[in-house]
Amino acid sequence: VAVRCGCTSICGEHRSVQAASACHHGMGVCDSRPPITVAVEVARASAASIDQFKPQALAITAWAFATAGHPSPLLFDAVARASAASIDQFKPQELTITAWAFATADHLLPDAFRRHLMQAVTSAEFATNEHLAQLHQWQLWNRERRAKVDLPDGFLRRCQAAFMASPPKPSRMQRQVEATLVSLSMPVRAEVFTDEGYSIDVVVNFQGAEVGVEVDGPSHFFGRDPSGPTLLKRRQLRKLGGWKLCSVPYWEWDEVWSDAPRRQQYLLQLLRRTLEA
């Protein structure tokens, strides 16, 4: 199966593992999420030939489906099985991508694969903050599932420090939302770091409760569907931090931005719905 970078059609069969890997990478970087029927067919074909995949192809496959928000149980079971058989051949980047993908997909790891992954992570050398940051989200996922992580405390601290290393860069849209909330005489804090290491765009005190407001531009979506990384952040903030969260999607903000009363009313309604949920 091959998928064009528009992720809108299926054409032919995989002629090589390299072709399959390129197809999966396209799923993860294109602008729109592939239709569910396409994703299911790609997942089925990939799972059937997974034993031919080398570590890089396995990691890219898991990453692409997780990033696109298609956590296919059939595919992730196949990736786990094939990865466990060759885990000692995985490079550090491939380990971290695979671990992150399973966390993002919220797909339960078979015990054998989890043991192999834990051992490999413990012995690998991670040279970049990106690798360590991905492992931080993976260990948060283990906390979500109340699974024990047998990793040194010092290593876990390095992972969280790497995750928090990049300073937030508020967008113009985020500053607009913040200013509108301030105009409503609400106590507002911007770029609030949580115990989990995430930064929430804006935290507002509304009707006696703290609400996290995520201002989500185009990079947070495939079309108008939240991306895997966006869903992971929301899920972990809610499950681990107990946060009440709402999202301001860019297309909704574009509709109200030019009219001050409308944008104020929009945010008030959004906050009310969040507390009522």
Side-chain angles (χ1 to χ4, degrees):
V1 178
V3 178
R4 294 201 302 258
C5 190
C7 291
T8 57
S9 69
I10 304 175
C11 48
E13 297 180 352
H14 281 316
R15 287 174 169 77
S16 67
V17 172
Q18 289 81 5
S21 183
C23 155
H24 299 146
H25 186 268
M27 282 183 61
V29 299
C30 67
D31 293 332
S32 60
R33 177 183 291 178
I36 187 64
T37 53
V38 173
V40 168
E41 188 61 30
V42 174
R44 185 183 299 115
S46 300
S49 59
I50 205 77
D51 291 336
Q52 302 173 39
F53 285 32
K54 293 184 178 179
Q56 183 183 41
L58 289 168
I60 288 175
T61 298
W63 168 83
F65 274 81
T67 299
H70 282 305
S72 164
L74 175 69
L75 178 72
F76 276 86
D77 281 344
V79 169
R81 184 186 70 251
S83 299
S86 58
I87 197 75
D88 58 337
Q89 301 173 32
F90 276 61
K91 296 176 182 177
Q93 181 180 7
E94 294 156 359
L95 282 174
T96 58
I97 288 174
T98 304
W100 178 87
F102 274 84
T104 302
D106 197 21
H107 187 87
L108 184 63
L109 290 170
D111 287 342
F113 178 50
R114 189 173 180 279
R115 286 195 300 271
H116 283 300
L117 183 59
M118 195 77 69
Q119 292 168 0
V121 165
T122 302
S123 61
E125 292 292 329
F126 298 99
T128 70
N129 276 354
E130 181 183 4
H131 298 166
L132 293 169
Q134 288 174 322
L135 287 176
H136 176 67
Q137 290 180 297
W138 172 67
Q139 70 90 8
L140 287 178
W141 176 58
N142 281 278
R143 280 177 51 194
E144 283 185 73
R145 290 189 166 273
R146 299 183 180 180
K148 186 178 180 181
V149 178
D150 293 319
L151 294 174
D153 289 342
F155 180 76
L156 295 178
R157 286 194 294 271
R158 280 182 61 205
C159 290
Q160 179 158 353
F163 184 68
M164 300 174 67
S166 298
K169 298 178 181 179
S171 66
R172 182 175 65 175
M173 176 181 160
Q174 180 176 328
R175 295 190 187 282
Q176 292 171 351
V177 171
E178 181 183 347
T180 303
L181 290 168
V182 170
S183 74
L184 289 166
S185 301
M186 295 184 188
V188 171
R189 294 180 291 150
E191 298 298 349
V192 176
F193 279 99
T194 70
D195 291 341
E196 296 74 33
Y198 282 109
S199 175
I200 299 178
D201 293 339
V202 182
V203 173
V204 59
N205 191 298
F206 180 68
Q207 295 182 356
E210 282 202 324
V211 179
V213 181
E214 286 288 275
V215 183
D216 292 332
S219 65
H220 292 269
F221 299 92
F222 284 93
R224 292 193 174 184
D225 296 315
S227 67
T230 299
L231 293 172
L232 174 65
K233 178 181 181 179
R234 293 178 187 176
R235 191 186 76 226
Q236 292 190 330
L237 283 171
R238 287 175 174 133
K239 283 191 175 181
L240 297 175
W243 280 93
K244 295 182 181 297
L245 291 177
C246 60
S247 167
V248 179
Y250 67 94
W251 63 88
E252 292 184 0
W253 188 249
D254 286 346
E255 290 182 0
V256 301
W257 160 241
S258 61
D259 186 318
R262 282 188 68 198
R263 65 176 181 261
Q264 289 179 332
Q265 187 63 25
Y266 167 80
L267 289 175
L268 285 170
Q269 291 176 348
L270 184 64
L271 291 168
R272 290 191 190 104
R273 289 199 304 269
T274 301
L275 291 186
E276 290 168 0

